[in-house]
DNA sequence: TTGTAGGCGTTATCAT
DNA sequence: ATGATAACGCCTACAA
């Protein structure tokens, strides 16, 4: 591979001249620049990014770590974050980390291959992050309890799930439901777990007693999990032991809906169902599913802005963190559609 | 940031000893290793990936460029490719390129920041790829006509769309449909365009004349596009001018189905519909949608294997390309569900 | 305007 | 088993 040295040799000028010419420095004459560019083309010269990063002590890269970039909930986050970063000419790369493989993400973190990282994955441990976050590479951790964070270069964005799951449970109760089942998604999904807690709290608040038989484990958050688990619920519904179902995610609800219809159960006449997250698909099924919009985009925009401020070093961390903490509160909004009917 | 030099200084040993110790070289004594590891921890030493890549002249990274990682069709490809790469301890990073922003992808390519790239995006031009592909960084281009490729380090995987779209059109005709509408997706989607061509060819083959009024432009491939465009079709259906709809993608079909049901049109009684790609959602709606499975995973596995062989340099390129060309043929399979009914 | 030289952090090749 | 030293490709004072 040709390097700037080769170009310099070919033209019999110095490497620094070549470097400057290639970077369009004003200090270099126009004719030299042209010569250099031609020689570069001729020699098939290609820049070496590693060398640049090494010299600059900077990568201009932000790492986004996610369990699965194809999941619906990731769409909003990605869009917003990317939009903010592009405006600042910062590059974003996405890396996956899951139970099968987290090595790539860990290598990128432990080898300082970015100027900042946003970790949305549960599979990178807090110990690991503590170990490697540093001034040159702050790490934003989203959606975690993050009790173990001691490293001052880790910014924990806890996301305020406090009231998550209460809203929609209250809504169902207000609509006259008394036998509300809950379908849990992936056990490792923090959001799903918080919704379950919100459900429990709300039952308690209204002094319903929890019927453990009405809590179902889908063990995953996809359509198929919803479809599968709902098979075990048809009996309960048929026998009148359930009048409403709170699915932890819209995808679960969509799968569940399909199963219910197949089994001749009418939604919402025989049973009401609700999902969570306001994924596009939730309004594209019949009946459209009542759900909750978390307005995640707003939060992500804040996160991105804080991250940029941090990278630019023009804000005290304490201040940023405080702002984030204030703004990382979900403003959940119930999206009423027709999968719920009032019962008396 | 501490470097191995700092560790060496602290312990008063040489940098090479530190380097070897850190890499657990057998040439280094156990006690030294321990000392080094302790010092590293104490100094908060973090490896510098750029320096490693520079020295090794290798990144161990494969770049995957996609328009949008959250689109359903990407799921299969990602899974398979990653699986193959992980087995070889090669890291995969995902970068997006679209009409709004392709700078990041271009920077990564033009600065040789990977050992190979898989380009699934239409927004990186062939000229650009021609310019930068090289021995150290072969580029696999998927789903393109790629007439302009001259660089021998570019591997074009054209994907054989020859028969795509014919199968399902024939199927509809065999089921007695005579007035088949077609809904085009994104104009820039090569797959979607090929399906349209297949539809046209098949109509011709059966000597149906093309009614241009039955070709609809969704101008996108999402639920919403399908939902929106279908509004303009209800009139045709009501008046008996359409008895079947071929949506270019399942997402379009799902959105379209919703609109049809809302407008009181029964599927498949009043009109049959089919989608394409066998996305999970297509069987999670009522009625489940008849679609076509392209068995993309098989192709992606071949692509990944070829890429690895290429990186390992143990195969002649010509041979690989030939194999790929043979195997990059879609084995499309019609997935019969209940959105189509026989008509006489 | 251009050249010289040092350094970025690491690994690898020799010696010792 | 460890040390010295030269790369890797690029950038940037500073000198000319």
């Amino acid at each position: 591979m040709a390097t700037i040295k080769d170009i310099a040799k070919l033209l019999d000028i110095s490497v620094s001249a070549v470097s400057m010419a290639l970077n369009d420095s004003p200090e270099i004459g126009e004719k030299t620049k042209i010569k250099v560019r031609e020689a570069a083309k001729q020699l098939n010269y290609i820049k070496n990014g590693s060398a640049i990063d090494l010299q600059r002590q900077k990568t201009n890269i932000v790492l986004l770590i996610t369990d699965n970039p194809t999941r619906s909930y990731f769409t909003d986050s990605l869009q917003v974050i990317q939009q903010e970063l592009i405006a600042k000419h910062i590059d974003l790369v996405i890396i996956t980390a899951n139970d099968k493989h987290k090595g790539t993400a860990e290598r990128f973190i432990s080898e300082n291959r970015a100027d900042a990282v946003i970790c949305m994955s549960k599979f990178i441990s807090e110990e690991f992050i503590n170990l490697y976050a540093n001034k040159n590479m702050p790490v934003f951790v989203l959606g975690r309890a993050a009790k173990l964070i001691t490293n001052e270069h880790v910014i924990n964005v806890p996301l305020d799930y406090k009231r998550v799951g209460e809203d929609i449970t209250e809504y169902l109760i207000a609509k006259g439901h008394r036998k509300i089942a809950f379908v849990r998604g992936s056990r490792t999904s923090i959001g799903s777990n918080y919704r379950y807690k919100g459900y429990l709290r709300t039952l308690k608040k209204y002094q319903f007693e929890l019927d453990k038989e009405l809590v179902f484990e889908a063990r995953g958050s996809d359509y198929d999990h919803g479809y599968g688990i709902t098979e075990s619920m048809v009996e309960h519904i048929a026998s009148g032991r359930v009048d409403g179902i709170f699915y932890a995610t819209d995808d679960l609800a969509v799968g569940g809906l399909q199963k219910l219809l197949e089994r001749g159960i009418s939604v919402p006449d025989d049973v009401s169902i609700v999902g969570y997250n306001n994924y596009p698909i939730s309004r594209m099924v019949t009946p459209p599913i009542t759900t909750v919009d978390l307005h995640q985009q707003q939060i992500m925009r804040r996160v991105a802005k804080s991250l940029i401020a941090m990278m630019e070093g023009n804000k005290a961390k304490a201040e940023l963190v405080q702002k984030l903490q204030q703004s990382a509160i979900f403003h959940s909004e119930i999206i009423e559609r027709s999968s719920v009917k009032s019962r008396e």
Side-chain angles (χ1 to χ4, degrees), chain A:
Chain A
M1 296 267 41
T3 72
I4 52 172
K5 268 186 197 163
D6 299 318
I7 300 179
K9 207 169 291 169
L10 179 68
L11 299 176
D12 200 34
I13 60 177
S14 78
V15 285
S16 52
V18 175
S19 171
M20 294 168 102
L22 251 18
N23 290 316
D24 207 23
S25 156
E27 322 233 330
I28 293 288
E30 202 51 46
K31 346 93 196 200
T32 326
K33 282 184 187 172
I34 295 177
K35 274 198 312 185
V36 168
R37 282 194 274 258
E38 275 170 2
K41 194 154 293 178
Q42 183 194 328
L43 292 178
N44 246 300
Y45 167 73
I46 295 177
K47 270 203 172 102
N48 182 315
S50 313
I52 296 176
D53 288 349
L54 177 58
Q55 152 66 30
R56 292 239 166 96
Q57 295 289 85
K58 209 167 174 294
T59 62
N60 202 44
I61 293 170
V62 167
L63 215 65
L64 181 53
I65 303 176
T66 176
D67 293 358
N68 182 349
T70 64
R71 292 298 305 280
S72 327
Y73 77 88
F74 183 63
T75 317
D76 291 347
S77 309
L78 175 62
Q79 261 184 1
V80 172
I81 292 170
Q82 202 155 40
Q83 195 181 328
E84 296 291 329
L85 291 180
I86 288 170
K88 296 283 182 177
H89 301 284
I90 299 168
D91 293 318
L92 181 76
V93 327
I94 302 165
I95 288 184
T96 62
N98 48 50
D99 50 348
K100 299 249 184 294
H101 175 73
K102 56 181 181 176
T104 300
E106 290 189 343
R107 177 165 83 106
F108 270 67
I109 294 177
S110 69
E111 295 180 353
N112 249 253
R113 298 182 107 91
D115 294 343
V117 3
I118 302 175
C119 181
M120 300 177 61
S121 167
K122 315 170 283 295
F123 295 95
I124 307 299
S125 78
E126 292 175 36
E127 289 88 335
F128 191 88
I129 293 173
N130 262 329
L131 215 47
Y132 292 107
N134 63 77
K135 193 169 183 316
N136 299 330
M137 188 185 70
V139 177
F140 283 66
V141 181
L142 302 200
R144 289 257 187 102
K147 305 267 187 238
L148 304 173
I149 296 299
T150 55
N151 185 320
E152 63 158 332
H153 301 105
V154 179
I155 291 79
N156 180 35
V157 185
L159 303 182
D160 184 349
Y161 285 104
K162 274 201 287 288
R163 295 196 31 89
V164 155
E166 299 183 3
D167 40 17
I168 193 77
T169 312
E170 293 208 14
Y171 172 83
L172 283 173
I173 292 174
K175 290 275 183 187
H177 298 80
R178 293 295 174 267
K179 292 161 280 182
I180 305 170
F182 188 89
V183 177
R184 305 185 69 170
S186 162
R187 285 307 280 263
T188 56
S189 156
I190 187 166
S192 179
N193 288 332
Y194 269 97
R195 276 163 238 155
Y196 177 54
K197 286 185 196 162
Y199 159 81
L200 293 181
R201 264 197 314 277
T202 311
L203 290 192
K204 198 173 227 169
K205 177 174 164 193
Y206 286 87
Q207 306 185 325
F208 287 22
E209 65 182 302
L210 172 67
D211 181 350
K212 288 218 168 160
E213 297 217 335
L214 297 191
V215 176
F216 295 84
E217 295 284 349
R219 310 206 166 280
S221 305
D222 282 333
Y223 305 132
D224 290 330
H225 298 106
Y227 183 84
I229 194 67
T230 301
E231 175 65 39
S232 56
M233 305 173 68
V234 296
E235 180 60 25
H236 291 76
I237 298 164
S239 61
R241 273 181 289 161
V242 169
D243 58 8
I245 309 174
F246 178 176
Y247 288 95
T249 73
D250 283 342
D251 284 349
L252 285 173
V254 168
L257 172 63
Q258 175 67 359
K259 170 63 76 177
L260 293 172
L261 297 179
E262 275 180 30
R263 294 310 225 87
I265 295 168
S266 162
V267 176
D269 288 335
D270 297 334
V271 67
S272 297
I273 72 174
V274 298
Y276 222 91
N277 282 347
N278 196 19
Y279 296 155
I281 189 61
S282 64
R283 68 166 186 286
M284 285 295 157
V285 291
T286 307
I289 296 171
T290 292
T291 184
V292 177
D293 195 318
L294 254 22
H295 296 291
Q296 228 182 82
Q297 296 206 357
Q298 290 175 21
I299 295 181
M300 287 305 157
R301 176 149 284 126
R302 292 293 189 114
V303 171
K305 281 190 194 297
S306 301
L307 178 138
I308 290 167
M310 194 118 186
M311 286 175 70
E312 293 177 339
N314 52 18
K315 290 271 169 127
K317 187 201 158 185
E319 187 188 339
L320 285 174
V321 168
Q322 207 200 339
K323 259 199 179 156
L324 261 181
Q325 233 96 35
Q326 285 168 11
S327 58
I329 295 170
F330 287 121
H331 295 286
S332 52
E333 177 193 359
I334 292 177
I335 311 291
E336 286 196 81
R337 294 200 274 244
S338 37
S339 66
V340 174
K341 120 174 170 179
S342 287
R343 302 177 193 281
E344 291 319 317

